C-alpha cells in the first residue's frame, strides 16, 4: 500500500521599504508596512482562509483518513498576528483535528545552516517552541528553508533529535533510483529522509493552470489514476508544494479548489492508496538505502541547487556580510536588533537579487518588490549598513567602535534634549498664544459692554 504525503510550506517575508543611502544612520525603520499588510491580506483572502476551510471540511468528511502536513515560518506567524489573526485561528482549528502535522524549520526562513551550526540550532529551537505553543505539537520532523539539504546538514538535524527531514528528490542525486521510498542520511542513519516527487508535485504547483500543457486539464480522477499506476513496489509519494499554490499561484478560476475538494475521495477509492504524515511514514516504512548528498540541494529551479540565492557575486557578498555580524549578534541583547536580525536573514532578500532569467525568470519575479536584482542588492546593503551601525553601537569591540558608540550616545542624548526643549518651547508658545487670545476676548467683551451702555 502506498502512503501519500501532502505537505505545504507557508511563508511570507517582511519586505523592506525603499531605503536610501541618506537614510543610513538617520532612520532605523526598514519595513514597508503597507505592502506587507496588503500582500498578506490578499493571500489570506485568496488562499489561506478558503483552503484551510476546505481542508477542515475534508478532514471531517473522511473521518481522519485524509491527513496533511504544514510548516509555517516564524516570520509568517508574526505577520498573521499583526495583520490577519483569523488565519492563525484557522490553522489552530486544523491542528485541533489531530490529523495535521506541523514541522520544524528555521524561524527566519534563513540559510543559516550553510554558515553556523550553533545559530542554526538556536533558530530551529525558537521555531519549535513557537509551534508547540501555538498548536500543541512538538515537531519531530524537520524541513529546512527551501528544502536545502546535504549530508552535513542532515547530520546536524539528526543530532538535534529529529526523526526525519524533507528534501528534494533531485534527479542528479538519485540517478536511476526512485524518490518513492524512505531513505536515510548518509552520515547519520538514524535520520530518515523523505524525498519530494517533483514531477507529480509540480504538475499541481506549476502546470495545473497551463492550457498549453499536454495533460491540461488536470482532474482529480486523472491524478489519482497516475498515483495508482505507479510501480507497486514503491511505498511513498511525497507531494511537497507552497501552500500559495491554492488560490494564489493557481487562481480560483483555474478550478484548483474543485480539484483539491475531490482529490481525497478519488485517491481513497483506490485500495492501494492512503494518506499519511511524515511521522507516520517514518514509523510504518523501512529505509531502503542511504541517500548521498555531498553538495547542498534545494527544490528551486531546474538545477535544484543553491544558485537561486547564492548564484552571483551580489548574493554572495550580501550573504557573507550578513553573517559576518553573527559573532556580535551572539552578544546582543537588544530585542529590536534581534527582531530586525531575524527579518534580515529571510532567504527572500537574496532571491530578489537573482540574475537567473530565461526559464526561471517568472518564478523569481513573483512578489518581487524590485525592478532589477541590482536595486534589490543596493537596498539590502543600505539596510544592512544601518543595521551594522546600530549593532556596533550596542556591542562595540574595538576602542574605535567604543568611541563611536559613546559619540553616538552623546548625539542621541543631545537629540533627546533638543526634542524636549522644542516641546517645552512649543508649550510655552501655545500658552502665550492662548493667553493673548483670552485677553483679546476679554477686551472685546468689555468694549462691547460699553458700546451697549
Amino acid at each position: 500500500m502506498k502512503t501519500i504525503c501532502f505537505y505545504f510550506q507557508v511563508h511570507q517575508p517582511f519586505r523592506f521599504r525603499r531605503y536610501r543611502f541618506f537614510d543610513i544612520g538617520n532612520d532605523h525603520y526598514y519595513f514597508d508596512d503597507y505592502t506587507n499588510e496588503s500582500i498578506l491580506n490578499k493571500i489570506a483572502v485568496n488562499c489561506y482562509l478558503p483552503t484551510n476551510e476546505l481542508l477542515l471540511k475534508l478532514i471531517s468528511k473522511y473521518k481522519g483518513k485524509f491527513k496533511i502536513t504544514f510548516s509555517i515560518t516564524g516570520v509568517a506567524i508574526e505577520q498573521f498576528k499583526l495583520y490577519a489573526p483569523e488565519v492563525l485561528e484557522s490553522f489552530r482549528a486544523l491542528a485541533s483535528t489531530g490529523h495535521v502535522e506541523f514541522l520544524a524549520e528555521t524561524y527566519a526562513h534563513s540559510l543559516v545552516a550553510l554558515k553556523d551550526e550553533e545559530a542554526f540550532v538556536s533558530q530551529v529551537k525558537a521555531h519549535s517552541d513557537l509551534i508547540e505553543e501555538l498548536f500543541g505539537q512538538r515537531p519531530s520532523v524537520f524541513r529546512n528553508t527551501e528544502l536545502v539539504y546535504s549530508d552535513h546538514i542532515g547530520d546536524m538535524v539528526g543530532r538535534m533529535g529529529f526523526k526525519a527531514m524533507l528534501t528534494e528528490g533531485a534527479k542528479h542525486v538519485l540517478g536511476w533510483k526512485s524518490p518513492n521510498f524512505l531513505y536515510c542520511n548518509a552520515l547519520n542513519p538514524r535520520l530518515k529522509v523523505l524525498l519530494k516527487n517533483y514531477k507529480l508535485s509540480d504538475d499541481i504547483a506549476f502546470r495545473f493552470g497551463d492550457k498549453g500543457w499536454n495533460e491540461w486539464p488536470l482532474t482529480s480522477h486523472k491524478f489519482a489514476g497516475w498515483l495508482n499506476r505507479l510501480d507497486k513496489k514503491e511505498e511513498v509519494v511525497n507531494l511537497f508544494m507552497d501552500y500559495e499554490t491554492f488560490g494564489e499561484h493557481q487562481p480560483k478560476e483555474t478550478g484548483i479548489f474543485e480539484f483539491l475538494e475531490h482529490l481525497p475521495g478519488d485517491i481513497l477509492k483506490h485500495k492501494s492508496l492512503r494518506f499519511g504524515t511524515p511521522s507516520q511514514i517514518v514509523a510504518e516504512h523501512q529505509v531502503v538505502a542511504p541517500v548521498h548528498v555531498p553538495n547542498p540541494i534545494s527544490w528551486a529551479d531546474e538545477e535544484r541547487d543553491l544558485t537561486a540565492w547564492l548564484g552571483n557575486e551580489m548574493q554572495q557578498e550580501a550573504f557573507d556580510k550578513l553573517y559576518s555580524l553573527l559573532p556580535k549578534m551572539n552578544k546582543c541583547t537588544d530585542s529590536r536588533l534581534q527582531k530586525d536580525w531575524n527579518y534580515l536573514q529571510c532567504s527572500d532578500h537574496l532571491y530578489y537579487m537573482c540574475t537567473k532569467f530565461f526559464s526561471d525568470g517568472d518564478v523569481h519575479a513573483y512578489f518581487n518588490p524590485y525592478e532589477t536584482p541590482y536595486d534589490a542588492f543596493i537596498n539590502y546593503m543600505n539596510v544592512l549598513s544601518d543595521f551594522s551601525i546600530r549593532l556596533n553601537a550596542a556591542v562595540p569591540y574595538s576602542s574605535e567602535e567604543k568611541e563611536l558608540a559613546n559619540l553616538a550616545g552623546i548625539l542621541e542624548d543631545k537629540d533627546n534634549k533638543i526634542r524636549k526643549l522644542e516641546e517645552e518651547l512649543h508649550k510655552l508658545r501655545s500658552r502665550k498664544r492662548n493667553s493673548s487670545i483670552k485677553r483679546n476676548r476679554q477686551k472685546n467683551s468689555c468694549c462691547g459692554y460699553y458700546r451697549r451702555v
Side-chain angles (χ1 to χ4, degrees):
M1 181 174 255
K2 289 183 182 62
T3 303
I4 312 301
C5 178
F6 255 121
Y7 156 79
F8 306 117
Q9 156 71 16
V10 182
H11 168 65
Q12 287 299 318
F14 280 93
R15 296 164 185 85
F16 295 139
R17 67 180 178 85
R18 294 300 172 124
Y19 194 83
R20 311 295 181 185
F21 173 81
F22 296 104
D23 292 327
I24 299 172
N26 297 312
D27 189 340
H28 305 317
Y29 194 77
Y30 312 134
F31 308 103
D32 188 339
D33 294 329
Y34 174 78
T35 298
N36 289 325
E37 183 174 6
S38 298
I39 289 176
L40 188 74
N41 284 327
K42 174 179 178 288
I43 301 174
V45 170
N46 291 341
C47 171
Y48 300 144
L49 292 173
T51 315
N52 282 359
E53 183 181 359
L54 176 56
L55 292 178
L56 191 64
K57 184 177 79 171
L58 292 172
I59 289 171
S60 175
K61 178 179 179 179
Y62 294 104
K63 304 186 187 311
K65 291 182 179 180
F66 178 55
K67 304 174 190 294
I68 49 177
T69 303
F70 289 101
S71 68
I72 311 175
T73 63
V75 290
I77 289 172
E78 287 189 28
Q79 289 200 57
F80 294 154
K81 289 179 178 179
L82 277 173
Y83 307 131
E86 66 276 16
V87 172
L88 197 54
E89 289 306 313
S90 67
F91 278 113
R92 281 177 166 161
L94 285 169
S96 68
T97 65
H99 301 293
V100 178
E101 182 172 4
F102 290 87
L103 307 187
E105 65 166 73
T106 58
Y107 187 98
H109 196 68
S110 72
L111 300 176
V112 68
L114 302 171
K115 275 291 185 182
D116 187 272
E117 181 172 356
E118 185 179 346
F120 176 53
V121 170
S122 176
Q123 267 201 44
V124 174
K125 183 182 182 303
H127 183 266
S128 294
D129 290 344
L130 180 63
I131 295 302
E132 186 174 23
E133 175 191 339
L134 291 174
F135 305 122
Q137 299 181 21
R138 186 74 183 180
S140 61
V141 177
F142 183 74
R143 182 264 189 198
N144 199 18
T145 304
E146 310 295 354
L147 291 189
V148 170
Y149 177 85
S150 69
D151 294 338
H152 173 64
I153 292 172
D155 181 42
M156 288 194 293
V157 171
R159 284 187 274 113
M160 277 190 267
F162 289 100
K163 296 186 297 186
M165 183 172 176
L166 277 54
T167 191
E168 176 71 23
K171 185 179 291 186
H172 70 275
V173 168
L174 285 174
W176 57 268
K177 292 180 285 188
S178 168
N180 300 332
F181 292 97
L182 183 63
Y183 292 85
C184 70
N185 178 261
L187 302 179
N188 189 342
R190 287 177 298 178
L191 182 82
K192 310 303 185 291
V193 181
L194 286 79
L195 301 178
K196 171 187 167 186
N197 186 311
Y198 68 83
K199 183 190 181 303
L200 290 171
S201 299
D202 292 353
D203 284 343
I204 300 173
F206 295 110
R207 290 183 280 273
F208 182 86
D210 181 5
K211 294 183 179 180
W213 181 35
N214 62 350
E215 294 291 351
W216 186 89
L218 178 60
T219 65
S220 58
H221 176 74
K222 181 191 291 186
F223 193 82
W226 290 349
L227 294 173
N228 187 53
R229 285 193 294 273
L230 291 171
D231 191 324
K232 293 181 179 180
K233 294 179 182 178
E234 296 179 335
E235 299 175 341
V236 297
V237 183
N238 298 311
L239 303 173
F240 303 164
M241 61 198 76
D242 285 330
Y243 199 35
E244 292 81 9
T245 294
F246 301 98
E248 188 61 38
H249 300 335
Q250 301 295 338
K252 179 182 178 181
E253 293 73 24
T254 63
I256 191 68
F257 287 113
E258 289 79 5
F259 171 83
L260 180 59
E261 183 174 7
H262 294 102
L263 186 60
D266 285 335
I267 288 176
L268 292 171
K269 286 177 183 175
H270 299 281
K271 294 181 180 180
S272 62
L273 302 176
R274 64 173 178 173
F275 290 96
T277 63
S279 290
Q280 288 178 308
I281 290 171
V282 169
E284 298 172 5
H285 293 277
Q286 295 296 314
V287 169
V288 296
V291 58
H292 296 273
V293 188
N295 300 310
I297 59 172
S298 77
W299 70 350
D301 300 342
E302 294 181 353
E303 297 86 353
R304 304 296 199 269
D305 59 14
L306 302 182
T307 52
W309 305 274
L310 298 173
N312 62 50
E313 291 182 2
M314 293 185 298
Q315 293 169 311
Q316 293 163 14
E317 181 180 345
F319 185 64
D320 291 339
K321 175 66 174 177
L322 173 69
Y323 284 108
S324 70
L325 304 178
L326 189 55
K328 284 193 175 185
M329 278 308 306
N330 290 337
K331 297 183 178 182
C332 179
T333 57
D334 187 306
S335 59
R336 290 174 299 179
L337 283 169
Q338 289 173 340
K339 181 168 283 193
D340 289 349
W341 172 248
N342 275 337
Y343 300 161
L344 275 163
Q345 291 183 78
C346 283
S347 65
D348 306 72
H349 304 307
L350 296 170
Y351 202 69
Y352 300 146
M353 302 175 200
C354 185
T355 50
K356 291 173 63 178
F357 300 110
F358 308 110
S359 61
D360 298 316
D362 290 340
V363 176
H364 294 282
Y366 190 78
F367 277 147
N368 188 338
Y370 303 100
E371 292 183 6
T372 71
Y374 312 101
D375 291 336
F377 173 72
I378 291 168
N379 204 68
Y380 184 81
M381 296 305 284
N382 285 344
V383 170
L384 197 55
S385 295
D386 184 81
F387 182 84
S388 300
I389 293 170
R390 294 166 59 204
L391 182 59
N392 288 336
V395 189
Y397 273 177
S398 65
S399 58
E400 290 84 0
E401 287 179 351
K402 289 179 181 178
E403 187 175 346
L404 286 171
N406 290 332
L407 289 172
I410 292 169
L411 288 172
E412 188 173 355
D413 288 341
K414 286 185 177 180
D415 286 341
N416 290 334
K417 287 178 182 178
I418 291 171
R419 196 178 298 111
K420 288 180 180 178
L421 289 171
E422 287 176 344
E423 289 174 357
E424 291 178 9
L425 182 62
H426 178 72
K427 289 178 182 177
L428 288 171
R429 285 174 174 169
S430 296
R431 288 174 188 168
K432 185 177 179 180
R433 186 166 55 253
N434 292 337
S435 178
S436 176
I437 292 170
K438 187 176 181 181
R439 285 198 301 271
N440 287 334
R441 284 177 178 172
Q442 289 175 345
K443 183 177 178 181
N444 290 336
S445 177
C446 291
C447 291
Y449 171 79
Y450 288 119
R451 280 197 296 270
R452 289 194 298 274
V453 172

